[in-house]
Amino acid sequence: MTDGAVRFMNPVLAGDRPDPAVIRVGDEYWLTYSSFESAPGLPLYRSTDLVNWTFEGSALPEPVGNTFAVDIAEHDGRFFIYIPFIPTPWSRLTDASIFVIHAPSMHGPWSAPIDLGIRGAIDPGHVVGEDGNRYLFVSGVRRIALTQEGLATVGDLEQVYDGWQYPDDWVTEAYALEGPKLFRRGDWFYLVSAVGGTAGPPTGHMVIVARSRSVLGPWENSPRNPVVRTRDAAERWWSRGHATILRGPSDDWWMLSHGYEHGFRTLGRQILLEPVEWTDDGWPIAAADDLGGALAAPADASPQRAPEGFHDDFSIPRLGERWTFHAPSPGEVGRLRSDDGLVLSARGTGPVDTSPLCVLTGDHTYEVEVDIELGPGSSEAGLLLFFNHRLFCGMGIDGERMLSYSGGLRTHWREPAPASRRMMLRIRNDEHIVTGWYRAPGTEWVRHGVRYETSGYHANTTGDLLSLRPAIYATGDGDVRFRDFRYTPLG
């Protein structure tokens, strides 16, 4: 472990970045996470110290479906991402299906998704056995063999591990054995899984470990399970789980997992880093008692970067890095072009079906603003805090009036904003208290007459594992031009 000269605070990647999958490539680490209904999907981040991460691109321009927890693997100098897709209204899938993409390096270029023919399973975990053969473990936990190229399966899924059973009086969401991740240390294969359910009560999700001399089993549960669990709702990080354990920069060991921040479930599941130690009899244990304070960073880590705001003039559409479409149809990117700002073709009948452009945030308090100009045609556009098509708040304009939204519905409130086809809109989210402002060209800012409280805009309210995100939208007919979007953390 490090001497503590550099310390860091969790999360190491803020905002909704669930189910982290991490791989070490030489002296670097690469990470991605479940991107669900966002496109581009599977954003790729790179780090040399596990604390500071830099966006490098997106591996999945056009998701095949709702993108769940993946695994990254390297074999014979080639890289693979095994991806479970869940059916969506626009996909051709009829069941959960596992695909694979591959590339000569983590920088890409990544292939189109290849269907492995695995149905009714999620959360693939790749491993090369002591026999030299490749396998996928999936939710359940079941196992299936892969060809040496890793692009097809051999045989059928078979049940291989039944998990570790926690006491019945523990307060969890559901048993839900999922998220298998495998690695080898010495003569042992280690199987890291999650049980307890990823949402629900804050004490639900947890990390368990089993091991075997052979990838074929049998699997022995750790006598120290669970390795990680939120034991008390007073802790800062809730529903901790879905972990990857790997070797650190100085041959120490670390765990990356996800968790909800106490009081800020609206931000989704954020990525947590913590040290791992090994017992004398070869079991991994979590070395930190509390993830709510500063921790000693890996050796030679750089100081942790502070959150930063940004100004986007839209001269370059930063898709993946900054903006993603929510629940897009195939070819959604065709709605965009850069021309004195961002021109977005209108779609749908309102925020519920327009596939807005969203920005992830991990800040408790922030402000967003944008300049909106309606083009010819009958259109509506605006600025939202968007969870999903059932839950959002904010405001829009249609050239004649201002439209106000709360709880996923258009409200009865008639804001006395001027009729204008161009308007600047601003929203401040101050620890769930949401205030809006607007101004027409050449006028002063006016506060919207209604404030909203959004602490309930989270997964346990809607049953959807997403987060509350700033978003811009354009619905109806014609084009809308967005200029000078600003995101500013406050406090």
Side-chain angles (χ1 to χ4, degrees):
M1 293 293 174
T2 176
D3 62 6
V6 173
R7 303 182 75 78
F8 72 95
M9 292 284 295
N10 278 304
V12 291
L13 268 176
D16 192 31
R17 307 175 194 271
D19 310 322
V22 194
I23 187 173
R24 181 172 178 170
V25 183
D27 294 330
E28 297 180 337
Y29 299 87
W30 287 77
L31 174 152
T32 191
Y33 49 84
S34 296
S35 49
F36 295 124
E37 293 187 79
S38 293
L42 297 185
L44 298 171
Y45 286 80
R46 181 177 58 86
S47 176
T48 58
D49 59 16
L50 295 173
V51 173
N52 298 288
W53 296 86
T54 303
F55 177 80
E56 296 290 342
S58 297
L60 195 63
E62 292 276 0
V64 173
N66 194 334
T67 307
F68 272 44
V70 308
D71 197 25
I72 310 172
E74 183 274 331
H75 188 71
D76 288 342
R78 194 158 190 85
F79 293 85
F80 303 80
I81 303 180
Y82 291 92
I83 311 168
F85 291 115
I86 305 299
T88 62
W90 50 263
S91 74
R92 298 179 180 177
L93 303 175
T94 57
D95 198 355
S97 305
I98 295 179
F99 286 61
V100 62
I101 58 176
H102 57 97
S105 81
M106 287 301 297
H107 289 281
W110 291 92
S111 73
I114 299 168
D115 188 354
L116 292 175
I118 303 173
R119 298 291 183 262
I122 58 172
D123 297 3
H126 177 274
V127 68
V128 178
E130 76 282 3
D131 55 7
N133 293 322
R134 302 174 67 177
Y135 300 90
L136 280 186
F137 285 59
V138 300
S139 56
V141 167
R142 295 160 288 169
R143 183 188 64 227
I144 193 168
L146 295 172
T147 62
Q148 280 300 308
E149 294 77 17
L151 304 179
T153 60
V154 179
D156 299 316
L157 285 172
E158 57 178 323
Q159 185 70 34
V160 294
Y161 173 63
D162 294 326
W164 173 82
Q165 185 61 59
Y166 49 81
D168 188 59
D169 61 351
W170 285 13
V171 179
T172 67
E173 180 187 26
Y175 185 70
L177 177 59
E178 59 190 4
K181 293 285 185 289
L182 297 103
F183 66 94
R184 192 171 190 179
R185 181 178 183 264
D187 294 329
W188 292 101
F189 289 91
Y190 290 86
L191 170 58
V192 183
S193 306
V195 291
T198 194
T203 54
H205 213 25
M206 65 193 83
V207 178
I208 62 173
V209 175
R211 71 182 183 186
S212 174
R213 298 283 186 182
S214 169
V215 75
L216 302 178
W219 295 94
E220 169 195 6
N221 281 309
S222 170
R224 294 165 178 84
N225 277 335
V227 175
V228 163
R229 181 189 177 216
T230 303
R231 300 180 183 278
D232 191 306
E235 296 176 29
R236 180 182 175 191
W237 292 102
W238 290 358
S239 301
R240 293 163 57 197
H242 204 104
T244 297
I245 296 176
L246 76 172
R247 195 181 299 271
S250 297
D251 289 334
D252 46 3
W253 287 80
W254 295 83
M255 181 187 310
L256 289 119
S257 63
H258 66 209
Y260 288 105
E261 188 172 3
H262 184 171
F264 290 92
R265 281 188 187 268
T266 54
L267 298 176
R269 291 167 292 170
Q270 307 183 62
I271 294 183
L272 312 175
L273 175 68
E274 59 187 297
V276 168
E277 294 179 353
W278 291 88
T279 64
D280 291 340
D281 56 349
W283 290 104
I285 57 173
D289 293 330
D290 180 14
L291 297 192
L295 298 175
D300 300 322
S302 299
Q304 189 173 22
R305 294 192 294 265
E308 296 180 346
F310 64 87
H311 167 230
D312 199 335
D313 64 3
F314 298 113
S315 57
I316 301 174
R318 297 181 181 271
L319 293 178
E321 177 183 9
R322 191 170 285 170
W323 298 96
T324 58
F325 283 106
H326 172 79
S329 299
E332 199 78 36
V333 70
R335 294 175 60 200
L336 298 176
R337 74 177 190 273
S338 291
D339 179 10
D340 184 26
L342 179 73
V343 178
L344 178 61
S345 295
R347 170 192 158 181
T349 60
V352 298
D353 60 0
T354 189
S355 191
L357 276 168
C358 302
V359 177
L360 278 185
T361 176
D363 294 301
H364 296 174
T365 300
Y366 59 86
E367 198 167 82
V368 289
E369 67 179 55
V370 66
D371 182 347
I372 300 175
E373 184 177 10
L374 305 177
S378 177
S379 56
E380 173 195 336
L383 180 65
L384 302 171
L385 297 186
F386 187 88
F387 187 88
N388 66 7
H389 67 284
R390 292 177 290 151
L391 192 57
F392 50 86
C393 65
M395 51 193 164
I397 59 171
D398 65 4
E400 298 180 359
R401 56 190 168 170
M402 175 163 284
L403 305 113
S404 302
Y405 294 95
S406 178
L409 299 171
R410 182 177 159 191
T411 74
H412 67 278
W413 179 259
R414 296 180 65 86
E415 180 65 25
S420 177
R421 298 191 68 80
R422 185 169 183 177
M423 190 86 72
M424 289 195 68
L425 303 181
R426 176 191 291 165
I427 290 177
R428 178 182 298 163
N429 184 351
D430 186 356
E431 297 190 352
H432 309 307
I433 304 302
V434 175
T435 307
W437 289 266
Y438 55 90
R439 68 179 178 91
T443 66
E444 299 296 319
W445 285 104
V446 176
R447 183 176 67 81
H448 191 283
V450 179
R451 288 187 174 93
Y452 309 119
E453 203 281 343
T454 59
S455 61
Y457 287 43
H458 60 69
N460 282 348
T461 302
T462 67
D464 201 353
L465 296 170
L466 297 172
S467 67
L468 190 61
R469 296 153 287 167
I472 55 177
Y473 74 96
T475 185
D477 299 314
D479 291 339
V480 175
R481 179 171 279 104
F482 296 88
R483 299 182 180 93
D484 293 326
F485 183 92
R486 296 179 187 273
Y487 175 90
T488 307
L490 302 172

